[in-house]
Structures are given as structure tokens and as C-alpha cells.
Amino acid sequence: MSQLLTLAVPFYNEAATIQAFADAILPVLDAVPDTQWEIVCVDDGSSDGTLLKLVALAQADPRFRVLEFSRNFGKEAALTAAIDVARGEAVIPIDADLQDPPALIGRMVQAWRDGAEVVLARRSDRSSDGMMKRQTAAWFYKLHNRLSNTKIPENVGDFRLMDRIVVDALKQLPERQRFMKGLFAWVGFRTVTLDYVRAPRLAGNTKFSGFALWNFALEGVTGFSTAPLKIWTYVGALCALGTVLYAIYIVVLTAMYGNKVPGYASLFVAITFFGSVQLISIGLLGEYIGRIYLETKQRPSYLIRKTYGGTDAT
Ligand code: UDP
Ligand code: MG
């Protein structure tokens, strides 16, 4: 009895890696016993010939299916689309740059067959990522997991295996701004973790700049926690308490020694301090309101221009 499994692969300007990806992945898939595979490739609005190469793959090998986005919607949207169309009994999202080792797939399938509904792949060593990225990632996980009820496992990316039951649960989540790591964690299910060493990128550059990562982190925190919104009640209360104490101090001082110096400095400091606190809190409100605004418009998270291949599958 053979089972159909889906590989979900986002591609954004990966022309340089596609052939190597196919060459690396196919023998691995063939080696997993009792399986058939479909490989859903999402071209996320690439501008470098990625699409042509993917279509050529799909024409040569019916296991490849290609979704062409109308523009770049981002990795989260690409993964969402691949998961939406996946037909497999299990789905494995994997990066196109071979930073997620295909060699792990056999063990993931084995763990799934042994009863796991989610098989996580954890990077035991991230030395292929830069110092900065590792440190900021570590801070992000710490902050996120402290603020949010949905705990994201540290050093786990999107590379994982999900049973059909998990995939169907994900498809029910209606939000448009999809922070996949968070959604994956939110749905839960019986989980097993495997360790691997993260390889350096095969070719080309990372598609995430520092600012994109910052926004990604904001997306994660605001999507899964309201703590940053609520904290201002307490910050406000603390400031108010401080102000009252300071007022008492001034009254006492004036009563004892009279009014010596007009307090320019303290006034100025107090005004700028409270001004900043208010701006920060308003900015935070803005982050949430912006997201509420985006969600209420209910625009789809991606648009597909065309799909290629895979029509003969059931
Ligand atoms: N990617 C995508 N859309 C984007 C950015 C990235 O589909 O807007 C894909 C990219 O082609 C790759 C995966 O997401 O397959 C991971 O991207 P990358 O390797 O640049 O991220 P990193 O490994 O540096 O975190
Ligand atoms: Mg990468």
C-alpha cells in the first residue's frame, strides 16, 4: 500500500538552485518505501526565470506541480497556497535552497508512520546563519514565548511533516496575515522532534533583509499575544504613582526650605518622558489597529495567475 505525500516548496528568485534542488530531492523521495510524491512548487512572483525552470520540471516529471503567483506575496503566503492545494496524506514544507536537508525526510516519514501527527525538524546547530541572525532569533523566541500563550519551539523552522489532520486544521484558520510558525504551533497535535544541522544556502542570497525580519517578528508577536497592548495600563499606573510621590516630595521640600529654584530641568524631563511613553503606546496601538484593518478587508493572502502540471493525479 503506497501513500501519497506532498512536498510544499516556496520559490522566490531561486533560478540558481532549482536544478540542484530537484537533483537532491528526487533520489531521497524515491528511497522512502511505499510512498508516492507530489511536489507543489510555488513561484512567489520571481523575476529571474524561476518560473520557466519550474514549468520545465513539471513537464518532464508529473510529480511536480507549479503554482504561479501574480506577484510576490511572501513566503508565508506561498506556504499557505501550497498547503491549500496539497493532496497528500502528509505535507512537508521545505525551503528551495537546500538549507533543510532532504536526507531527513525518510526519518520524518518513519516517525509519522509510528504515530506522530507533527514531526518537527530542529536545527541543533545554526552556525551557517550569521551571528546577528542567530542572536536576534534567540531574543525573538524568548520574547515571543514569554508574551504569548502559543509557544513556538526554538530553532524550528517551517521544515516539518504534518499529517492530513493538521493540514486540514490549518486550512480552517481564517486569518489573512499568516505567521506560519505561530499557526503551526497554535494547532498543536501529537509532536515528535528530530535534530539536524542547518546547511549554508546553496546559491543566491537570503530573501529576508533585516527590516523584513523585524516586521516578521512583529507579525509573530502581535498575531499571537495581546500583552504589548495591555502592558500600558501598568506602565501608566506606575508612572502615575511615581508622579504622586514626586509631587509629595516637592510639597515637603517647599514646606521645609521654601521655593529656592524654579524647576525647569525636572519639568522638562517629566514632560518629555511622558510624551515618549504616550507616543510608544500610541504606536503600539497603531500596530494592532493596522492589523485589524488589514484583516477586516478580507483580501486573499495570495492570487494565482496559473497552475502547471499535476493534472493527471487524483
Ligand atoms: N521565499 C519566498 N518568498 C519570499 C522570500 C522567500 O517564497 O518573499 C522562499 C525562498 O525562495 C526559499 C524560502 O522562502 O525557498 C526561504 O528563504 P531564504 O532562504 O531566503 O530565507 P532564510 O533561509 O535566509 O531564512
Ligand atoms: Mg534559506
Side-chain angles (χ1 to χ4, degrees):
M1 196 192 79
S2 93
Q3 294 173 299
L4 178 69
L5 283 86
T6 303
L7 221 55
V9 202
F11 289 84
Y12 179 50
N13 291 342
E14 299 283 8
T17 70
I18 289 178
Q19 196 52 50
F21 173 76
D23 292 344
I25 210 85
L26 291 174
V28 171
L29 301 185
D30 290 337
V32 184
D34 305 320
T35 48
Q36 283 180 300
W37 292 85
E38 62 165 5
I39 305 164
V40 178
C41 303
V42 180
D43 171 39
D44 185 12
S46 303
S47 54
D48 70 341
T50 294
L51 180 71
L52 286 176
K53 291 196 173 181
L54 288 177
V55 172
L57 271 183
Q59 275 161 359
D61 187 334
R63 284 175 291 181
F64 284 92
R65 284 162 73 195
V66 181
L67 307 183
E68 180 196 358
F69 275 6
S70 62
R71 63 170 171 84
N72 179 246
F73 280 95
K75 183 185 178 187
E76 310 300 295
L79 278 183
T80 304
I83 285 171
D84 283 346
V85 304
R87 304 186 184 121
E89 287 176 51
V91 177
I92 304 179
I94 184 169
D95 283 359
D97 58 5
L98 293 177
Q99 281 196 288
D100 305 329
L104 212 62
I105 291 176
R107 279 169 64 203
M108 290 167 115
V109 172
Q110 194 49 52
W112 171 59
R113 287 183 169 153
D114 290 344
E117 288 155 334
V118 176
V119 184
L120 296 182
R122 182 170 51 204
R123 303 173 272 232
S124 57
D125 169 21
R126 285 186 70 156
S127 48
S128 66
D129 285 334
M131 180 53 197
M132 264 289 275
K133 187 158 179 185
R134 283 205 314 261
Q135 191 54 55
T136 47
W139 284 333
F140 168 73
Y141 286 116
K142 211 163 257 159
L143 181 76
H144 183 279
N145 289 344
R146 175 149 309 172
L147 291 180
S148 166
N149 290 328
T150 307
K151 309 292 177 215
I152 300 180
E154 194 160 345
N155 287 330
V156 172
D158 296 320
F159 185 40
R160 62 185 63 212
L161 179 148
M162 292 176 287
D163 185 75
R164 172 51 50 186
I165 195 173
V166 181
V167 173
D168 287 340
L170 278 174
K171 284 164 74 172
Q172 281 177 29
L173 303 182
E175 55 244 83
R176 308 296 155 133
Q177 297 152 77
R178 301 183 76 83
F179 180 69
M180 295 310 275
K181 270 187 224 237
L183 299 181
F184 289 155
W186 186 87
V187 294
F189 291 101
R190 204 160 44 221
T191 302
V192 162
T193 306
L194 307 177
D195 283 306
Y196 74 97
V197 176
R198 188 154 172 86
R201 193 173 228 291
L202 185 70
N205 290 319
T206 174
K207 309 295 184 280
F208 293 94
S209 65
F211 196 65
L213 283 174
W214 163 250
N215 274 325
F216 191 56
L218 262 183
E219 196 68 60
V221 172
T222 53
F224 288 88
S225 167
T226 52
L229 272 179
K230 296 176 182 160
I231 193 178
W232 298 101
T233 319
Y234 304 98
V235 174
L238 260 178
C239 289
L241 186 72
T243 314
V244 168
L245 292 180
Y246 188 58
I248 293 172
Y249 168 76
I250 289 176
V251 167
V252 171
L253 216 64
T254 315
M256 284 165 66
Y257 304 108
N259 189 358
K260 284 194 303 193
V261 199
Y264 277 121
S266 53
L267 253 183
F268 193 73
V269 168
I271 289 172
T272 48
F273 175 70
F274 290 113
S276 321
V277 169
Q278 282 163 5
L279 279 180
I280 293 171
S281 56
I282 292 172
L284 247 151
L285 282 180
E287 291 288 344
Y288 280 89
I289 293 174
R291 282 171 174 81
I292 295 170
Y293 177 57
L294 285 178
E295 290 292 341
T296 54
K297 285 193 284 204
Q298 305 231 356
R299 288 183 188 150
S301 354
Y302 57 87
L303 293 174
I304 293 176
R305 179 179 292 127
K306 200 168 171 205
T307 60
Y308 306 82
T311 38
D312 49 341
T314 44

